[in-house]
Amino acid sequence: MKPGYLSEYFEGVAAKRLSAVEADETRSNQHEYHATKKVQAFLGSPEEKTRIPARFLYLTDDDPDPIVEDAFLTLYNCRKGKPRAPEYHLYFPTTTVSLNASEGDLLVIAKKRDGDLLVIIAENGSSIGRQIEWLFGFADLAHPGFSVKSELETEQDRIEFASRFILENIGIAVETSEDTYLDDMLRRFSGRFPSTREFSAYARSTLKDLSPLDQPDLVLMTWMEREEILFRTLERYLIADRLSLGFIDPSISLISPAGFLFHSDKTTNGIRKEVNGVDVDSFISFSLSVQNRRKSRVGLALENHLELLFAENGLRYTRTAVTENKAKPDFLFPGVTEYHNPAFDSLKLTMLGVKSTCKDRWRQVLAEADRIDDKHLLTLETAISTYQTDEMAAKRLQLVLPRSLHQTYTPAQQAWLMDVASFTELVRARQNA
């Protein structure tokens, strides 16, 4: 096991495309996958039927949250007692995940370090499916059987900014920290979360000798990576500190026959539940605040770093300018004054939408600046499906990504993608024309 690599979390991974009999219960009642010898290499070859706890996930681009169900896979020799070579199968029960599966969907079975399994089914042709393939290094799954990886410590398996977010989408919490800066952050920010703009500036201050002018792609990703690590370091400390205080409300007035504690409050039927002395509503509220902070912070941090990067490159811009129908593109070049001046050549205008992840939200950008026909969108999302990028191109939306993320896309997509350096050059050329 090597820290910082997929081997830190998984012992082995198998992937394939679901066949009709594996996905369609009207075609087969077997509910089984064929566990090849390579699959057995990390799952084992037990003499008796072995039930392995498994968490099932169904992923699609249409829903930001996966369908999740805990169940099991049963590994067994279907030829046990017969004078033939053993043949192992994996039986799976009916779950909400299996009921959503279709022929051609991606199936990934990963054995975690605790021995449990993670069974992922991703919709065929989806971006999240492509991201899972890239994460585990499966380039071609055209053949019918499983492709297997038990060596998860290659350079491809290193956990970096992009892979960390994919792992968290499938429920794997990646621990990252830079405790060297913890005391300084606690002192500087008085033991609280500062504003995103303030924290972005602090993250940049911890990095020296970076030139946004010479290497904008590298600098942007370095800033984002540093801020993410520092944020998780501070967040882990502050969450632990908050949890240590507990969520007990002093205004307890009732004890149920079952021993649960209650007190009256402005909730359903005038009763607010406390379980074993824990204020459930307060705990849920705190948990949601942590999740929402994580989601909103990344996008704002990306905009903050881009704002400085553009300024360092001598570009004129307006951030969140108001255009038609009160739309607010993230960046408008050279600015809102030029945009609203009918005499200003529209071919010299550039707009950039910024979304740390796209999903289907990229279409929002299309309506944010009517005077600009060819729009740009910068994202950190890896391996967006060809269906999505083909539609973007057809809608005259150019995708911009830091250069290091281009390799997560297909060769044909990479030829179309724009990097940050090319985008800044385009804006500079229009500005100086």
Side-chain angles (χ1 to χ4, degrees):
M1 182 179 69
K2 192 173 181 180
Y5 289 77
L6 291 177
S7 61
E8 188 174 356
Y9 302 93
F10 303 103
E11 294 183 19
V13 186
K16 71 185 301 293
R17 293 285 169 189
L18 288 176
S19 66
V21 295
E22 292 169 329
D24 187 350
E25 295 194 14
T26 65
R27 299 280 296 273
S28 172
N29 293 319
Q30 292 181 331
H31 279 238
E32 292 179 337
Y33 309 126
H34 181 204
T36 62
K37 289 188 180 297
K38 288 185 177 180
V39 174
Q40 295 169 47
F42 69 87
L43 289 186
S45 306
E47 288 294 323
E48 303 297 330
K49 285 186 177 181
T50 301
R51 179 179 287 196
I52 310 172
R55 169 156 290 186
F56 290 76
L57 284 76
Y58 185 76
L59 306 171
T60 174
D61 291 343
D62 296 331
D63 193 337
D65 297 316
I67 297 171
V68 182
E69 187 165 340
D70 290 324
F72 59 87
L73 286 178
T74 300
L75 180 63
Y76 74 102
N77 176 15
C78 67
R79 292 177 176 173
K80 183 177 174 63
K82 299 178 181 180
R84 299 171 64 186
E87 181 177 312
Y88 281 85
H89 287 194
L90 283 163
Y91 170 82
F92 61 91
T94 297
T95 63
T96 52
V97 172
S98 67
L99 291 173
N100 277 275
S102 299
E103 180 181 1
D105 285 355
L106 172 69
L107 167 67
V108 172
I109 300 175
K111 184 180 180 182
K112 298 192 295 181
R113 281 289 168 187
D114 62 7
D116 289 358
L117 301 179
L118 186 63
V119 182
I120 304 167
I121 298 179
E123 186 179 22
N124 185 27
S126 63
S127 294
I128 186 61
R130 284 270 300 114
Q131 289 161 9
I132 298 296
E133 287 181 83
W134 171 78
L135 175 70
F136 292 114
F138 293 114
D140 183 13
L141 297 174
H143 58 88
F146 276 107
S147 294
V148 176
K149 287 190 68 179
S150 54
E151 167 58 52
L152 296 170
E153 296 183 351
T154 67
E155 193 59 28
Q156 160 69 31
D157 304 311
R158 184 192 295 272
I159 298 174
E160 296 181 327
F161 185 89
S163 49
R164 188 181 305 124
F165 280 92
I166 300 173
L167 284 168
E168 293 190 349
N169 279 339
I170 58 175
I172 303 299
V174 180
E175 295 296 332
T176 58
S177 65
E178 182 52 85
D179 293 333
T180 305
Y181 294 95
L182 180 58
D183 288 341
D184 183 48
M185 288 191 290
L186 292 173
R187 181 173 56 254
R188 183 184 297 262
F189 304 131
S190 302
R192 298 181 179 181
F193 285 113
S195 68
T196 307
R197 183 179 289 275
E198 186 180 0
F199 199 79
S200 295
Y202 174 75
R204 290 192 299 266
S205 74
T206 67
L207 294 162
K208 309 299 181 183
D209 302 322
L210 291 177
S211 173
L213 188 61
D214 297 334
Q215 297 178 300
D217 291 86
L218 174 62
V219 168
L220 179 61
M221 286 304 295
T222 303
W223 283 344
M224 288 298 297
E225 178 78 23
R226 175 55 62 88
E227 178 164 351
E228 182 65 22
I229 292 173
L230 292 178
F231 174 80
R232 293 302 178 94
T233 302
L234 180 61
E235 180 189 57
R236 187 172 65 254
Y237 177 88
L238 295 181
I239 288 177
D241 187 55
R242 177 65 185 87
L243 291 176
S244 69
L245 299 175
F247 293 89
I248 299 175
D249 192 316
S251 57
I252 296 171
S253 58
L254 298 174
I255 300 181
S256 74
F260 296 122
L261 304 179
F262 297 83
H263 71 84
S264 64
D265 200 352
K266 293 178 290 185
T267 57
T268 306
N269 298 324
I271 297 294
R272 176 174 176 172
K273 186 165 77 170
E274 300 213 3
V275 181
N276 294 334
V278 175
D279 185 338
V280 176
D281 289 343
S282 293
F283 176 78
I284 292 174
S285 177
F286 174 71
S287 177
L288 289 174
S289 71
V290 171
Q291 296 177 48
N292 291 335
R293 185 188 297 112
R294 286 183 175 183
K295 290 178 181 178
S296 63
R297 183 196 57 81
V298 178
L300 289 172
L302 180 57
E303 292 180 34
N304 291 337
H305 294 312
L306 281 169
E307 185 172 20
L308 181 63
L309 186 146
F310 294 147
E312 291 288 319
N313 275 270
L315 305 182
R316 301 199 309 274
Y317 61 86
T318 300
R319 185 171 171 180
T320 60
V322 178
T323 59
E324 299 82 5
N325 301 314
K326 297 183 179 180
K328 294 182 179 180
D330 295 306
F331 289 94
L332 196 58
F333 305 87
V336 66
T337 301
E338 291 82 357
Y339 184 85
H340 288 295
N341 179 2
F344 190 84
D345 186 356
S346 63
L347 295 179
K348 294 182 180 181
L349 296 169
T350 310
M351 71 85 64
L352 179 70
V354 178
K355 296 186 182 299
S356 56
T357 58
C358 284
K359 306 301 180 184
D360 280 340
R361 297 179 300 125
W362 62 266
R363 293 182 180 84
Q364 299 169 2
V365 176
L366 301 177
E368 289 182 346
D370 290 349
R371 288 194 66 193
I372 302 173
D373 294 326
D374 295 294
K375 298 176 172 63
H376 293 77
L377 172 62
L378 189 147
T379 185
L380 302 179
E381 185 164 350
T382 56
I384 296 174
S385 71
T386 54
Y387 298 110
Q388 294 269 27
T389 55
D390 286 349
E391 187 179 353
M392 290 177 188
K395 299 287 188 183
R396 300 175 70 174
L397 178 66
Q398 174 64 58
L399 200 59
V400 183
L401 292 102
R403 172 58 62 176
S404 62
L405 302 182
H406 285 210
Q407 49 93 17
T408 69
Y409 289 73
T410 67
Q413 288 174 309
Q414 291 180 41
W416 169 72
L417 292 173
M418 178 178 282
D419 61 17
V420 181
S422 299
F423 177 78
T424 56
E425 283 300 319
L426 171 69
V427 175
R428 184 181 293 110
R430 290 177 176 177
Q431 179 175 298
N432 296 334

